[in-house]
Amino acid sequence: MSEANNGMPASQPLEKKDASFWNQPRFAPKTPLMKRGRLNKKRLCEFFEKCEAMLLSAETAHLLRQAKSEGLNVNQLCVKWQHEMFEHLGIDKDFGVRSLQSIKVNFPSDKSMPGRLMRFAKVCQCSVMKSMLPYARAGEVKRRFKPASTLRTSGGVMAKPYILQFFKKCSDMLRSKETKRLFQEAKARGEDLQKLSIRWQREMIEQIGYEQEFGVNSMMLLPLYFPNDRQLMMEMQLFQNICQRAVQNAMAPSPQMADFDISKRRYQPKKGLLRSKGRLPRDMYKKYFLMTAKELTSDTSVKLLKAAKREGKNVGLQSVKWQREIFENLGIEQDYGVECLNRLTVDYPKDKELHQLMFKFAKACADLLRRADPEGAKKAIDMHTKKVMQAKGKG
């Protein structure tokens, strides 16, 4: 289904509606209405399917954005539409609500029905949450990425291979030099960089062949459809981190970044293009871990950090800068390198040697701080211990 035929024009200006628009029923009731007895599984599942499709539709997303802009309670509006859907299917709304509340009683031996109800509740939550996100629909301004000729809009959620493809393509796009340049140009114009990033992500969804609202719904519902897929959940978390870091770095570079003035660096970057995408090869991980372990445990590093502390500098921050400098010294772009550290257990889940080297790397980082700033390290450990104890107390 192409974007022109998906039920939503590419651009819909928000013209204020009068009260009668919101009060009129969106779905006409069917008579007579069922008011007593017991709703069977078939009719309840029909309600779930129709209502979920309605709540996740592009039309609903647009209406909720409209309602939010006018100060209406979008949660109450969603409930109103759910009640209307009951009566559109010939079920009295109050009787329908009672039937949902009585699912465990009415279907004591059917384990699928409580799960179906939980899924419906998650979809309701997703619909409301989407209306709270920054609005940046693809197609309302000139696109950076062209959509596929045909866009899929059905099938529960995006298929896992396409989800992983989306995460990879978007991650590579967000860390690219072109994106950094476009962010800086947009920043100079006073644009909202978060909205710009979201619009590019929506365009990317349509480039790989899914309608954007369907794709956004898929991302929000991944924990529901893939609750036991640890790899996919980790990929999603890593992708969210990349999205956040890309915008933050464009707004104001992190103080942890290695100095852009390479003359100030302890470790000079490798000449030529730095690696910034794809899976980091195993030998590159080993080189990084072995070099950092050697450098961070050296007497020179301890002396330099002690001198930095006397100058009032943050020794932990200086240590992180060196770690980032070493990435680029080995030909690995620093932000990409940090992402690779987070990805190690995803890309090499059974590689005990790499896991052990990463453990030694973390220990070398901690040992350096203890040697350079014993008092500060003790305070950090005490603070961490206190937080752990407080968390256990709350539990």
Side-chain angles (χ1 to χ4, degrees):
M1 182 179 294
S2 68
E3 184 178 49
N5 296 319
N6 67 9
M8 283 286 290
S11 178
Q12 294 196 62
L14 294 180
E15 296 179 0
K16 186 173 176 61
K17 311 290 186 184
D18 56 32
S20 63
F21 174 85
W22 299 109
N23 291 331
Q24 68 184 354
R26 184 178 171 189
F27 306 100
K30 178 182 177 181
T31 56
L33 297 177
M34 182 178 181
K35 295 185 177 182
R36 60 178 61 88
R38 178 176 176 271
L39 275 181
N40 60 32
K41 182 176 180 177
K42 181 179 179 181
R43 296 199 71 181
L44 275 172
C45 287
E46 181 186 19
F47 167 77
F48 287 141
E49 290 169 6
K50 297 280 188 183
C51 214
E52 287 175 4
M54 175 272 293
L55 290 170
L56 295 176
S57 69
E59 180 185 10
T60 292
H62 176 76
L63 288 172
L64 289 181
R65 180 173 72 100
Q66 175 89 53
K68 180 174 177 286
S69 72
E70 296 182 19
L72 300 181
N73 187 314
V74 294
N75 191 56
Q76 290 179 2
L77 190 57
C78 281
V79 171
K80 174 180 178 291
W81 291 336
Q82 293 166 41
H83 289 175
E84 289 177 7
M85 185 61 73
F86 267 127
E87 303 206 339
H88 182 67
L89 297 173
I91 304 165
D92 175 77
K93 65 177 186 291
D94 293 327
F95 175 65
V97 171
R98 290 197 300 272
S99 297
L100 294 183
Q101 295 169 341
S102 304
I103 275 184
K104 288 185 178 180
V105 175
N106 291 338
F107 300 91
S109 60
D110 191 335
K111 295 182 180 180
S112 68
M113 289 304 285
R116 196 68 184 78
L117 178 62
M118 182 178 296
R119 170 176 157 175
F120 172 66
K122 291 286 186 182
V123 169
C124 295
Q125 184 182 40
C126 168
S127 183
V128 172
M129 285 176 61
K130 266 185 26 177
S131 70
M132 303 299 175
L133 296 174
Y135 180 77
R137 183 174 172 81
E140 296 192 345
V141 296
K142 184 179 179 181
R143 289 177 183 253
R144 180 180 173 188
F145 306 102
K146 293 181 179 180
S149 58
T150 301
L151 302 178
R152 278 164 280 193
T153 61
S154 61
V157 292
M158 292 168 65
K160 181 177 176 179
Y162 286 95
I163 295 170
L164 292 173
Q165 181 186 358
F166 168 76
F167 288 153
K168 182 182 184 305
K169 286 175 69 80
C170 256
S171 297
D172 289 346
M173 175 272 291
L174 287 170
R175 68 167 76 93
S176 70
K177 286 187 175 181
E178 181 186 11
T179 291
K180 292 176 181 177
R181 175 181 62 79
L182 292 173
F183 267 149
Q184 290 307 311
E185 291 174 359
K187 180 183 175 184
R189 294 192 298 267
E191 289 188 35
D192 187 319
L193 301 190
Q194 184 182 14
K195 287 185 178 181
L196 185 58
S197 174
I198 292 171
R199 182 173 293 114
W200 289 337
Q201 293 168 47
R202 281 175 166 261
E203 290 178 8
M204 195 67 75
I205 289 172
E206 298 204 333
Q207 189 178 70
I208 64 175
Y210 283 90
E211 191 276 327
Q212 59 182 293
E213 294 301 336
F214 182 84
V216 172
N217 295 336
S218 295
M219 298 303 155
M220 298 185 75
L221 295 173
L222 283 189
L224 179 64
Y225 281 84
F226 301 94
N228 301 315
D229 195 324
R230 183 171 175 270
Q231 181 208 7
L232 192 58
M233 293 302 101
M234 289 184 70
E235 292 283 3
M236 180 172 69
Q237 182 62 55
L238 291 170
F239 171 66
Q240 290 171 340
N241 292 343
I242 291 171
C243 294
Q244 185 179 35
R245 183 161 51 245
V247 173
Q248 286 178 342
N249 286 346
M251 291 296 294
S254 167
Q256 295 182 344
M257 295 283 287
D259 286 312
F260 291 111
D261 182 353
I262 61 174
S263 66
K264 296 180 180 179
R265 295 191 187 190
R266 181 180 174 191
Y267 305 97
Q268 295 298 297
K270 187 175 182 178
K271 293 182 180 180
L273 292 175
L274 300 176
R275 187 185 187 99
S276 63
K277 63 181 180 179
R279 188 166 91 157
L280 191 66
R282 187 177 186 277
D283 67 303
M284 294 298 290
Y285 273 111
K286 288 188 68 174
K287 285 181 182 179
Y288 177 75
F289 288 140
L290 292 173
M291 183 173 176
T292 49
K294 177 184 176 182
E295 293 297 318
L296 295 179
T297 54
S298 69
D299 291 339
T300 300
S301 292
V302 176
K303 290 177 182 177
L304 288 172
L305 280 194
K306 285 184 175 180
K309 184 177 185 300
R310 287 193 296 270
E311 295 172 6
K313 296 180 180 178
N314 185 317
V315 295
L317 189 62
Q318 184 59 61
S319 173
V320 171
K321 282 179 175 288
W322 289 341
Q323 295 163 41
R324 283 175 164 266
E325 288 176 11
I326 290 173
F327 269 127
E328 300 205 340
N329 180 263
L330 294 173
I332 303 165
E333 194 277 326
Q334 56 181 301
D335 279 335
Y336 165 72
V338 173
E339 292 165 18
C340 289
L341 291 182
N342 294 330
R343 290 195 57 84
L344 188 146
T345 55
V346 175
D347 291 338
Y348 299 93
K350 298 181 180 180
D351 195 319
K352 292 182 180 180
E353 183 185 13
L354 281 187
H355 295 179
Q356 186 65 29
L357 286 173
M358 187 168 184
F359 174 78
K360 290 180 178 179
F361 158 70
K363 185 176 183 299
C365 295
D367 288 344
L368 173 61
L369 296 183
R370 279 194 290 268
R371 291 172 66 192
D373 185 12
E375 184 180 346
K378 183 178 184 304
K379 287 181 179 179
I381 292 172
D382 290 344
M383 186 177 298
H384 175 71
T385 302
K386 184 178 180 180
K387 287 182 179 179
V388 171
M389 295 303 293
Q390 288 175 342
K392 287 184 178 180
K394 292 178 181 179

